[in-house]
């Protein structure tokens, strides 16, 4: 019987932003954050702060009502610990302290009002949490402000904050796009930090930029609907941003149904800011991150040993523990494929090895699905999984490796072409090879621990041998032999089974 997972107490973050007020509850404070509840209300707290200096009364009432519900939800869900933060609108408005006092009484927790530099740092930590070894400029666009900060691996430099959030910009420009264009140009041109972004990645954080990504995904017919890790070449992003401005000028943004009504008017301002950032920073790629301030806040609270773990491996271990028949077998499969890679001298980068280990951890998570649909269903589960530290190409590689493990390698049973096209021919061939290895390993062991360590690989000339210890001799069968020969052919060898 599978032992129950050891879970810590759940944690929640109440995020009082300039546009939205949100509650996110996570299963536990861990390296791989698993959201179990997520709700937002678009209150528009910051829509008049630049012109009046005040949080609008109706927005305040709406936000306080939402906070009452959020506090009740935390009680119902028995959340272990609640953290609360507030951003630009609350720090800039003269009635911000009064609102925060009322909000703290409702939430029964201390609310941290983030300074601009603090918000920038947490955004960067969120990207570090959700992107594997990031290198570039993080831009967090909220309703009230834009935070910019340089990140290299786990290193975060000092950041800047600008009053260019969608609501703030709309307010400053009095809803004039021509005036907004001038405001953004003057602000962005003065940011020296952006010159460090040349030929690097720009990480776009924030709900309105995610809405832009959603529109681009739909319009381009892209095969994945996952926002996190979606990337666009900078030149294409620039063209897309300008196209959105033309649509706005023609009054055609109202037809974009995939974006919430309250966020739709801010799309043009978000596109305008992105356009000027690309113009000045000249990045190579735009990558959209759903990991931001909230995830950065929790990442900061982890012990250093946890922060330094690989977020993808941690997420795969969670799914393995939850869905596979034996967590120990998956770890043995990692060691088994390690031995195979050494014996056949498989050329692997560190990143190739990381993805192979991830695929091993996920290779048995579809066993409960009907056999006729395990391949496609598990592929969908992997490529759409709610975890970070993986880009879309890597999702496709891991997903297709597990697909081939279940569906086989025959020409009649192939994954969607759109998914295959995310990989190069060499990457696709490596996914097929890994899937073939899984088919041998799971057939030998029936996904039970203790079997794979008793099998070994030997290489003799062009012949690859799979050697069974004497006590496992009865596991050898024609089906095992044919699958192993198929694996050997993919490596460019002949294959044979040996009993020792």
């Amino acid at each position: 019987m599978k032992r129950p997972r050891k879970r810590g107490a759940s944690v929640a973050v109440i995020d009082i932003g300039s546009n939205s007020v949100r509650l996110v509850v996570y299963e536990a404070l861990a390296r791989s954050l698993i959201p179990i509840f997520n709700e937002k209300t678009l209150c528009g707290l910051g829509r008049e702060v630049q012109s009046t200096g005040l949080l609008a009364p109706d927005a305040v009432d709406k936000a306080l009502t939402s906070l009452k519900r959020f506090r009740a939800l935390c009680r119902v869900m028995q959340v272990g610990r609640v953290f609360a933060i507030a951003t630009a609108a609350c720090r800039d408005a003269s009635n911000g302290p009064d609102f925060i006092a009322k909000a703290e009484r409702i939430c029964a927790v201390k609310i941290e009002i983030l300074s601009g530099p603090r918000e920038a740092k947490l955004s960067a930590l969120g990207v570090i949490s959700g992107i594997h070894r990031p290198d570039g400029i993080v831009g967090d666009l909220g309703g009230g402000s834009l935070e910019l900060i340089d990140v290299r691996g786990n290193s975060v430099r000092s950041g800047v904050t600008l009053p260019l959030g969608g609501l703030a910009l709309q307010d400053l420009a009095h809803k004039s796009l021509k005036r907004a264009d001038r405001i953004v140009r003057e602000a962005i041109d003065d940011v020296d930090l952006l010159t460090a972004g040349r030929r690097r990645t720009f990480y776009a954080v924030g709900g309105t930029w995610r809405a832009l990504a959603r529109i681009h995904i739909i319009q381009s017919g892209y095969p994945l609907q996952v926002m996190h890790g979606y990337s666009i070449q900078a030149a294409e992003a620039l063209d897309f941003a300008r196209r959105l401005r033309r649509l706005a000028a023609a009054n055609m943004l109202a037809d974009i149904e995939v974006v919430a009504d309250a966020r739709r008017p801010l799309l043009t301002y978000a596109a305008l800011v992105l356009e000027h950032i690309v113009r000045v920073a000249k990045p190579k790629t735009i990558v959209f991150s759903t990991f931001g301030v909230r995830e950065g806040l929790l990442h900061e609270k982890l012990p250093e040993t946890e922060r330094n773990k690989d977020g993808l491996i941690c997420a795969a271990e969670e799914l393995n523990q939850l869905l596979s028949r034996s967590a120990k077998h998956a770890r043995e499969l990692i060691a088994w494929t390690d031995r195979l890679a050494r014996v056949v001298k498989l050329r692997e980068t560190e990143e190739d090895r990381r993805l192979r280990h991830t695929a091993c951890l996920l290779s048995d998570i579809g066993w409960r699905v009907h056999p006729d649909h395990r391949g496609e269903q598990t592929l969908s589960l992997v490529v759409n999984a709610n975890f970070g530290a993986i880009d879309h190409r890597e999702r496709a590689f891991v997903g297709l490796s597990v697909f081939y493990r279940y569906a086989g390698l025959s020409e009649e049973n192939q994954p969607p072409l759109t998914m295959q096209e995310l990989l190069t021919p060499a990457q696709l061939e490596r996914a097929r090879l890994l899937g073939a290895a899984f088919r041998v390993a799971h057939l030998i062991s029936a996904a039970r621990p203790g079997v794979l360590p008793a099998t070994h690989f030997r290489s003799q000339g062009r012949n690859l041998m799979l050697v069974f210890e004497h006590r496992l001799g009865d596991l050898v069968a024609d089906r095992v032999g044919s699958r192993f020969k198929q694996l050997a052919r993919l490596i460019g060898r002949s294959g044979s089974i040996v009993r020792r």
Side-chain angles (χ1 to χ4, degrees):
M1 180 179 293
K2 186 183 290 188
R3 293 179 180 177
R5 288 187 302 153
K6 293 182 179 178
R7 295 183 177 89
S10 59
V11 295
V13 178
I14 295 173
D15 182 358
I16 304 172
S18 300
N19 192 25
S20 65
V21 176
R22 186 186 292 266
L23 168 70
V24 185
V25 181
Y26 301 90
E27 187 179 40
L29 180 60
R31 177 62 184 88
S32 174
L33 291 169
I34 303 173
I36 57 177
F37 185 85
N38 189 331
E39 181 174 304
K40 74 171 182 292
T41 306
L42 293 170
C43 299
L45 280 170
R47 73 172 186 267
E48 299 174 2
V49 171
Q50 294 300 318
S51 57
T52 69
L54 297 171
L55 304 173
D58 62 322
V60 167
D61 291 342
K62 192 173 184 180
L64 293 176
T65 299
S66 295
L67 292 175
K68 289 176 184 177
R69 170 172 163 76
F70 292 168
R71 180 58 186 169
L73 284 166
C74 288
R75 285 196 298 267
V76 167
M77 299 178 72
Q78 298 180 327
V79 174
R81 189 172 180 189
V82 179
F83 302 97
I85 55 176
T87 56
C90 293
R91 69 174 174 252
D92 294 341
S94 59
N95 60 343
D98 179 64
F99 166 76
I100 291 296
K102 293 176 181 177
E104 286 182 338
R105 287 196 292 272
I106 291 171
C107 297
V109 294
K110 179 70 175 174
I111 298 172
E112 180 185 0
I113 303 174
L114 303 178
S115 67
R118 170 77 171 147
E119 188 174 353
K121 180 183 178 182
L122 292 183
S123 296
L125 290 176
V127 168
I128 289 171
S129 172
I131 303 286
H132 186 56
R133 295 177 180 170
D135 181 13
I137 305 298
V138 175
D140 186 350
L141 184 71
S145 62
L146 167 69
E147 278 68 46
L148 297 167
I149 189 166
D150 193 318
V151 59
R152 299 170 190 258
N154 290 330
S155 175
V156 176
R157 302 190 177 187
S158 59
V160 299
T161 184
L162 303 169
L164 299 181
L167 289 174
L169 188 54
Q170 187 182 52
D171 192 17
L172 281 170
H174 304 294
K175 299 186 178 180
S176 164
L177 287 179
K178 184 176 291 188
R179 192 175 292 127
D181 183 56
R182 186 174 65 253
I183 292 169
V184 175
R185 181 182 296 274
E186 291 173 355
I188 292 295
D189 283 351
D190 288 338
V191 180
D192 293 337
L193 180 153
L194 285 174
T195 60
R198 188 180 295 269
R199 302 301 299 165
R200 296 168 71 203
T201 300
F202 180 77
Y203 299 99
V205 178
T208 312
W209 272 341
R210 288 197 301 273
L212 292 183
R214 187 175 295 110
I215 295 169
H216 192 274
I217 283 173
I218 292 170
Q219 290 185 349
S220 63
Y222 188 74
L224 291 184
Q225 299 295 307
V226 178
M227 294 299 110
H228 185 68
Y230 182 61
S231 65
I232 311 175
Q233 291 299 302
E236 185 179 355
L238 187 60
D239 179 68
F240 176 65
R242 288 170 174 167
R243 191 164 69 246
L244 271 183
R245 287 181 65 185
R246 290 194 296 270
L247 287 174
N251 225 9
M252 295 175 64
L253 288 183
D255 297 330
I256 301 177
E257 297 179 356
V258 296
V259 179
D261 291 345
R263 204 183 287 280
R264 209 172 294 159
L266 305 182
L267 289 175
T268 314
Y269 298 97
L272 183 62
V273 174
L274 183 60
E275 180 182 335
H276 283 289
I277 285 174
V278 172
R279 176 181 59 82
V280 174
K282 294 180 172 57
K284 180 180 180 181
T285 310
I286 312 299
V287 172
F288 295 88
S289 172
T290 61
F291 287 63
V293 170
R294 294 180 295 273
E295 291 74 22
L297 177 73
L298 297 181
H299 188 74
E300 183 183 56
K301 296 183 182 302
L302 290 172
E304 185 177 2
T305 53
E306 287 295 306
R307 290 199 303 270
N308 291 335
K309 289 181 178 179
D310 187 322
L312 174 60
I313 296 297
C314 290
E317 287 173 341
E318 283 280 347
L319 279 176
N320 170 46
Q321 183 75 34
L322 185 66
L323 298 177
S324 68
R325 284 171 286 185
S326 168
K328 184 178 179 182
H329 176 270
R331 293 192 292 273
E332 292 178 354
L333 181 59
I334 288 174
W336 192 79
T337 59
D338 281 345
R339 297 198 298 274
L340 174 64
R342 283 197 302 271
V343 168
V344 303
K345 296 180 171 57
L346 184 66
R347 292 182 179 177
E348 280 188 316
T349 64
E350 182 182 346
E351 186 58 32
D352 291 334
R353 191 175 307 110
R354 173 180 183 255
L355 295 179
R356 172 167 58 79
H357 288 182
T358 300
C360 287
L361 290 166
L362 301 179
S363 66
D364 195 46
I365 63 173
W367 70 275
R368 289 183 181 272
V369 179
H370 188 282
D372 293 345
H373 304 290
R374 283 176 186 157
E376 63 200 66
Q377 292 294 322
T378 310
L379 172 62
S380 178
L381 176 59
V382 172
V383 299
N384 293 298
N386 190 9
F387 49 61
I390 185 171
D391 64 26
H392 285 200
R393 177 191 61 79
E394 294 165 342
R395 284 177 183 271
F397 175 83
V398 174
L400 288 173
S401 298
V402 182
F403 172 89
Y404 290 124
R405 169 262 193 271
Y406 284 118
L409 307 179
S410 68
E411 292 296 326
E412 306 85 55
N413 199 8
Q414 289 295 303
L417 278 175
T418 52
M419 198 61 60
Q420 297 183 56
E421 288 167 356
L422 291 176
L423 303 181
T424 66
Q427 291 164 345
L428 186 59
E429 192 60 27
R430 185 179 288 270
R432 285 168 55 83
L433 190 156
L434 193 50
F438 292 161
R439 287 174 66 75
V440 175
H442 282 279
L443 183 63
I444 292 169
S445 62
R448 302 310 305 165
V451 178
L452 293 180
T455 64
H456 311 278
F457 297 101
R458 285 185 191 165
S459 183
Q460 191 173 65
R462 302 303 300 169
N463 185 41
L464 177 64
M465 293 174 283
L466 179 60
V467 181
F468 284 73
E469 292 183 3
H470 177 73
R471 64 187 177 87
L472 298 181
D474 289 343
L475 291 177
V476 176
D478 290 344
R479 195 170 175 217
V480 173
S482 63
R483 283 197 182 179
F484 184 68
K485 288 177 181 177
Q486 183 183 50
L487 170 62
R489 282 196 300 272
L490 289 175
I491 301 171
R493 307 281 189 93
S494 61
S496 58
I497 302 290
V498 177
R499 295 180 178 87
R500 189 169 71 185

